[in-house]
Amino acid sequence: MPLLPLAILSSLVALVCAAFLLVHAFRRSVGTGVMVLLIPCYALFYAFSQFEHRHKGLIVAGFVSCTVLAAVFLGLGAHSLTARVPPPGF
Protein backbone atom coordinates (compact mmCIF):
# COMPACT_ATOMS: atom_id res chain seq x y z
CA MET A 1 0.00 0.00 0.00
CA PRO A 2 1.57 3.29 -1.03
CA LEU A 3 1.81 5.52 2.02
CA LEU A 4 3.23 8.61 0.33
CA PRO A 5 -0.19 10.02 -0.74
CA LEU A 6 -1.46 9.60 2.82
CA ALA A 7 1.64 11.34 4.16
CA ILE A 8 1.15 14.22 1.73
CA LEU A 9 -2.52 14.56 2.65
CA SER A 10 -1.76 14.53 6.37
CA SER A 11 1.01 17.07 5.86
CA LEU A 12 -1.30 19.42 3.97
CA VAL A 13 -3.97 19.25 6.67
CA ALA A 14 -1.33 19.89 9.35
CA LEU A 15 0.01 22.81 7.30
CA VAL A 16 -3.43 24.42 7.01
CA CYS A 17 -4.01 24.04 10.75
CA ALA A 18 -0.54 25.46 11.47
CA ALA A 19 -1.36 28.43 9.23
CA PHE A 20 -4.39 29.22 11.41
CA LEU A 21 -2.18 29.10 14.50
CA LEU A 22 0.51 31.23 12.91
CA VAL A 23 -1.87 33.92 11.67
CA HIS A 24 -3.48 34.13 15.11
CA ALA A 25 -0.08 34.38 16.78
CA PHE A 26 1.11 37.17 14.48
CA ARG A 27 -2.14 39.07 15.04
CA ARG A 28 -1.47 38.85 18.77
CA SER A 29 2.08 40.22 18.46
CA VAL A 30 5.08 39.94 16.18
CA GLY A 31 7.21 38.38 18.93
CA THR A 32 4.63 35.68 19.60
CA GLY A 33 4.32 34.97 15.90
CA VAL A 34 8.07 34.60 15.48
CA MET A 35 8.26 32.27 18.48
CA VAL A 36 5.43 30.10 17.11
CA LEU A 37 7.15 30.05 13.73
CA LEU A 38 10.64 29.16 14.97
CA ILE A 39 10.18 27.13 18.18
CA PRO A 40 8.20 23.91 17.64
CA CYS A 41 7.56 23.27 21.35
CA TYR A 42 6.23 26.79 21.79
CA ALA A 43 3.82 26.21 18.91
CA LEU A 44 2.27 23.33 20.86
CA PHE A 45 2.19 25.40 24.05
CA TYR A 46 0.56 28.30 22.22
CA ALA A 47 -1.99 26.02 20.55
CA PHE A 48 -3.20 24.63 23.87
CA SER A 49 -2.92 27.69 26.10
CA GLN A 50 -3.30 30.95 24.16
CA PHE A 51 -4.99 30.11 20.85
CA GLU A 52 -8.56 31.42 20.77
CA HIS A 53 -10.80 30.41 17.90
CA ARG A 54 -14.35 29.13 17.71
CA HIS A 55 -13.04 25.91 16.09
CA LYS A 56 -10.04 25.58 18.43
CA GLY A 57 -10.63 21.90 19.13
CA LEU A 58 -10.71 20.93 15.45
CA ILE A 59 -7.71 23.06 14.52
CA VAL A 60 -5.50 21.91 17.39
CA ALA A 61 -6.55 18.26 16.99
CA GLY A 62 -5.92 18.46 13.24
CA PHE A 63 -2.53 20.06 13.77
CA VAL A 64 -1.29 17.55 16.34
CA SER A 65 -2.82 14.39 14.90
CA CYS A 66 -1.97 15.08 11.27
CA THR A 67 1.60 15.97 12.19
CA VAL A 68 1.96 12.63 13.96
CA LEU A 69 0.22 10.76 11.14
CA ALA A 70 2.45 12.35 8.51
CA ALA A 71 5.55 11.33 10.46
CA VAL A 72 4.27 7.77 10.86
CA PHE A 73 3.31 7.44 7.19
CA LEU A 74 6.67 8.82 6.07
CA GLY A 75 8.51 6.47 8.41
CA LEU A 76 6.56 3.43 7.26
CA GLY A 77 6.89 4.45 3.63
CA ALA A 78 10.65 4.88 3.96
CA HIS A 79 10.90 1.51 5.68
CA SER A 80 8.99 -0.19 2.88
CA LEU A 81 11.20 1.49 0.27
CA THR A 82 14.40 0.34 1.94
CA ALA A 83 13.05 -3.21 2.21
CA ARG A 84 12.72 -3.40 -1.61
CA VAL A 85 16.18 -2.12 -2.48
CA PRO A 86 18.39 -5.01 -3.55
CA PRO A 87 21.70 -5.38 -1.76
CA PRO A 88 24.79 -4.00 -3.46
CA GLY A 89 26.42 -6.30 -5.99
CA PHE A 90 23.29 -7.42 -7.83
Side-chain angles (χ1 to χ4, degrees):
M1 174 177 178
L3 296 174
L4 187 60
L6 292 174
I8 291 172
L9 180 67
S10 297
S11 298
L12 289 177
V13 172
L15 185 65
V16 168
C17 293
F20 276 107
L21 289 169
L22 195 60
V23 167
H24 186 272
F26 270 107
R27 283 185 181 164
R28 189 172 182 119
S29 75
V30 175
T32 304
V34 169
M35 286 183 2
V36 168
L37 182 64
L38 297 178
I39 305 171
C41 294
Y42 187 76
L44 280 175
F45 172 76
Y46 182 81
F48 285 108
S49 66
Q50 298 174 1
F51 181 61
E52 298 168 359
H53 194 274
R54 62 183 180 156
H55 299 296
K56 175 183 178 175
L58 290 174
I59 293 171
V60 173
F63 173 65
V64 173
S65 64
C66 287
T67 301
V68 170
L69 280 175
V72 167
F73 289 147
L74 284 174
L76 290 175
H79 178 70
S80 68
L81 284 177
T82 57
R84 289 187 230 165
V85 175
F90 280 111

